């Protein structure tokens, strides 16, 4: 289950071949995002910074086809004029995994683009399995390693397409011998958390930085076999944009993004009085000293 932010950048040069822009050349930027947390806000963090530098930026709708890891990786390698922000897994030594297995395999599309990487962010885009404290106490489950015998009484859910729900059911059984009663595909994380708190489901998948985990005292279950590997959000820039200021702008934004950034932005873009993705991104950039208050 992977995710990505893609910024497609193209110089407006008509029908003529596009030359490599200079560091001060202005480019048109199309941004799409599918990070597990606040995808449009993550796109707008880079978008607002680029707008502040004079670039023309649009943010596409969430879940666009180009936001998958494979599509983003292909674009940064072959399309040109592209900045791709991809949550990338790093292999981790784990005694519970076979020696030949990677705890967090790198998709084939990512294997050839390491040379295009920019400064990684401090954000970890990992998913976790959670239960309510009451359910954890009732079943005596705090780790998926020992959940197997209790799984037949549990229903699980994800806020993702049905295919991902079916994949979770398969992987729970393969990695933990956990045969849950069923895995539902719900429309939103709000719906997911509500179903968990009302005991309609007993096991849910959430981003580890989702504030609802801490707001509701949910128990994050240990995942020693790495059903969901840790993923660091890392930007990649196509070779033709290395001489523009896009890399420097992206690096400045990435440097400020920490483990808590996505959680903080989720809080201000949900619930009563929520800010739009662009408003939240703008305020965050101002708070970080990356743009001035009058550039909105």
């Amino acid at each position: 289950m992977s995710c990505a932010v893609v910024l497609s950048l193209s110089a407006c040069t008509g029908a003529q071949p596009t030359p490599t822009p200079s560091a001060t050349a202005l480019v048109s930027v199309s941004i799409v995002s599918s990070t597990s947390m606040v995808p449009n806000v993550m796109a707008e963090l880079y978008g607002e910074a680029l707008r502040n530098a004079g670039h023309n930026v649009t943010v596409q709708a969430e879940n666009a086809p180009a936001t998958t890891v494979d599509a983003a990786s292909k674009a940064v390698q072959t399309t040109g004029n592209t900045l791709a922000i991809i949550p990338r897994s790093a292999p981790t030594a784990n005694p519970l995994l076979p020696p030949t297995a990677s705890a967090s395999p790198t998709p084939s599309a990512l294997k050839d683009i390491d040379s295009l990487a920019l400064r990684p962010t401090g954000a970890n885009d990992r998913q976790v399995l959670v239960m309510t404290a009451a359910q954890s106490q009732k079943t005596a489950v705090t780790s998926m390693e020992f959940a197997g015998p209790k799984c037949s009484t549990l229903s699980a859910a994800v806020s993702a397409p049905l295919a991902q729900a079916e994949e979770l059911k398969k992987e729970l059984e393969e990695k933990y011998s956990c045969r849950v009663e069923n895995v539902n595909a719900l429309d939103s994380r709000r719906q997911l958390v509500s179903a968990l708190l009302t005991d309609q489901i007993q096991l849910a998948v959430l981003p580890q930085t989702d504030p609802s985990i801490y707001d509701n005292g949910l128990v994050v279950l240990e995942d020693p076999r790495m059903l969901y590997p840790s993923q660091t959000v890392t930007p990649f820039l196509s070779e033709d944009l290395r001489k523009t200021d896009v890399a420097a702008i992206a690096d400045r934004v990435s440097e400020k993004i920490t483990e808590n950034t996505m959680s903080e932005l989720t809080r201000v873009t949900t619930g009563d009085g929520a800010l739009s993705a662009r408003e939240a991104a703008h305020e965050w950039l101002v708070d970080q000293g990356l743009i001035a208050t009058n550039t909105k």
Side-chain angles (χ1 to χ4, degrees):
M1 301 184 186
S2 26
C3 44
V5 181
V6 180
L7 292 78
S8 298
L9 309 165
S10 58
C12 301
T13 57
Q16 298 301 316
T18 303
T20 300
S22 69
T24 57
L26 301 183
V27 293
S28 293
V29 187
S30 176
I31 308 178
V32 291
S33 165
S34 66
T35 51
S36 65
M37 291 286 286
V38 287
N40 269 19
V41 187
M42 286 297 288
E44 288 288 5
L45 292 181
Y46 293 90
E48 279 290 273
L50 288 168
R51 290 185 190 103
N52 183 62
H55 299 297
N56 180 39
V57 178
T58 57
V59 174
Q60 298 184 17
E62 295 179 17
N63 302 317
T67 64
T68 67
V69 168
D70 283 347
S73 302
K74 182 177 180 180
V76 81
Q77 292 178 84
T78 64
T79 303
N81 296 332
T82 300
L83 171 66
I85 317 298
I86 304 173
R88 182 175 63 163
S89 301
T92 305
N94 189 325
L96 296 177
L97 298 173
T100 57
S102 167
S104 47
T106 300
S108 58
L110 289 180
K111 291 181 179 178
D112 300 323
I113 65 171
D114 281 348
S115 64
L116 303 178
L118 299 179
R119 182 189 186 112
T121 72
N124 189 317
D125 201 18
R126 188 187 180 195
Q127 305 269 52
V128 292
L129 292 154
V130 299
M131 279 183 169
T132 62
Q135 188 63 230
S136 177
Q137 184 175 15
K138 176 182 176 181
T139 57
V141 171
T142 57
S143 171
M144 288 307 301
E145 188 67 20
F146 309 108
K150 309 293 178 64
C151 286
S152 61
T153 64
L154 305 178
S155 290
V158 296
S159 57
L162 181 60
Q164 291 189 28
E166 293 172 344
E167 181 66 19
L168 172 61
K169 187 173 183 178
K170 176 183 176 182
E171 291 191 2
L172 281 171
E173 183 169 351
E174 289 180 352
K175 290 196 173 185
Y176 289 114
S177 299
C178 176
R179 299 177 180 85
V180 294
E181 187 176 348
N182 54 66
V183 179
N184 301 297
L186 303 182
D187 292 334
S188 68
R189 284 198 299 273
R190 179 177 293 184
Q191 197 175 19
L192 186 67
V193 172
S194 176
L196 190 66
L197 295 177
T198 55
D199 204 34
Q200 297 174 57
I201 60 171
Q202 294 74 45
L203 188 64
V205 178
L206 290 170
Q208 70 171 5
T209 53
D210 193 316
S212 64
I213 294 175
Y214 310 100
D215 293 347
N216 296 288
L218 302 180
V219 176
V220 177
L221 303 180
E222 294 177 7
D223 180 17
R225 297 181 185 273
M226 296 191 180
L227 186 66
Y228 292 104
S230 181
Q231 296 181 312
T232 300
V233 180
T234 305
F236 298 84
L237 186 66
S238 56
E239 190 64 37
D240 57 333
L241 288 175
R242 292 282 168 165
K243 294 183 180 180
T244 71
D245 63 352
V246 172
I249 293 170
D251 281 349
R252 287 196 293 271
V253 174
S254 296
E255 181 182 9
K256 298 288 187 177
I257 297 175
T258 69
E259 190 68 44
N260 296 324
T261 299
M262 288 189 285
S263 180
E264 294 167 357
L265 292 172
T266 298
R267 287 187 186 279
V268 300
T269 56
T270 56
D272 296 336
L275 300 177
S276 70
R278 185 168 176 178
E279 289 170 336
H282 182 87
E283 289 196 2
W284 183 88
L285 290 165
V286 170
D287 289 343
Q288 299 299 318
L290 293 172
I291 64 175
T293 56
N294 63 350
T295 59
K296 191 173 177 180

